[in-house]
Amino acid sequence: MKFTQVLSIALVAGMLTMVSCKDGDKEAMEAEKMEMEQRAADSLAQVEADMAQREAMAVEVGGAKMYQDLTIVENASKANNLTTLVAAVQAAGLVETLNSEGPFTVFAPVNSAFEALPDGTVATLLKPENKETLTGILTYHVVSGNVDAATLITMIEENGGSVALNTVAGGTLTASVVDGNVVITDATGGTATVVVADVKQSNGVVHAVDAVLMPS
């Protein structure tokens, strides 16, 4: 075979090899692109599923949805029937505490609960000189731990119809079930009924109540 023939064959073989390599690279790039697009689609689908689940698990209080990935204060600040409580928490300097890891169980009085107090009570409590008293009242509504309604009812049943709950303020609340509703009795004998239960937060759970609870 002549040298020129050998050279021609070699050149053709080389060109075929280059074309083959380019085709292989192109296929690999296409495959990688498709994989990246699939991963992006999967991620988007997961985000949408997570958002849908977040919405489904939210509880509406005071015209606003309470989300489980927000703190007690963050959620309460959106509810139009908890504005007095939020103002009181701010005045008492408890925002940081109720935004902390916790967990806390809060029996949260709605606005009408504060309105039922004697005239001038709320305004007096919000004054700077009464911060200590206000703090004592608010923390009397807070129990350490994550006590949802099912757990609380079980505790009540296992303790013969009522159970004592130690508050962050150091006092005691008594929980019982009356006519199918959870009722909380304070140290003065006053009672508050749970009107919205199991509003779960990132740092605990809130049960909205219809009266302000008073320590001794």
Side-chain angles (χ1 to χ4, degrees), residues 79-97:
N80 60 24
N81 65 344
L82 295 177
T83 54
T84 305
L85 175 62
V86 171
V89 167
Q90 293 171 339
L94 292 174
V95 172
E96 185 175 350
T97 299

Side-chain angles (χ1 to χ4, degrees), residues 19-110:
V19 171
S20 177
C21 288
K22 288 182 179 179
D23 288 343
D25 290 343
K26 184 177 180 181
E27 290 177 359
M29 290 175 64
E30 287 294 331
E32 183 176 357
K33 179 183 177 183
M34 291 178 63
E35 184 178 346
M36 290 176 64
E37 290 175 346
Q38 185 60 52
R39 286 201 299 267
D42 291 343
S43 296
L44 178 59
Q46 185 60 54
V47 169
E48 291 175 343
D50 290 344
M51 290 178 64
Q53 183 179 27
R54 182 176 187 259
E55 289 293 326
M57 297 178 71
V59 176
E60 187 169 317
V61 177
K65 286 189 174 182
M66 309 285 105
Y67 294 101
Q68 295 188 18
D69 57 351
L70 298 181
T71 67
I72 292 168
V73 176
E74 288 172 337
N75 273 322
S77 297
K78 300 185 300 175
N80 60 24
N81 65 344
L82 295 177
T83 54
T84 305
L85 175 62
V86 171
V89 167
Q90 293 171 339
L94 292 174
V95 172
E96 185 175 350
T97 299
L98 293 178
N99 271 337
S100 65
E101 185 175 354
F104 304 108
T105 297
V106 179
F107 296 98
V110 295

Side-chain angles (χ1 to χ4, degrees), residues 5-19:
Q5 292 177 315
V6 173
L7 182 60
S8 296
I9 293 172
L11 288 172
V12 171
M15 291 175 65
L16 290 173
T17 300
M18 290 176 64
V19 171

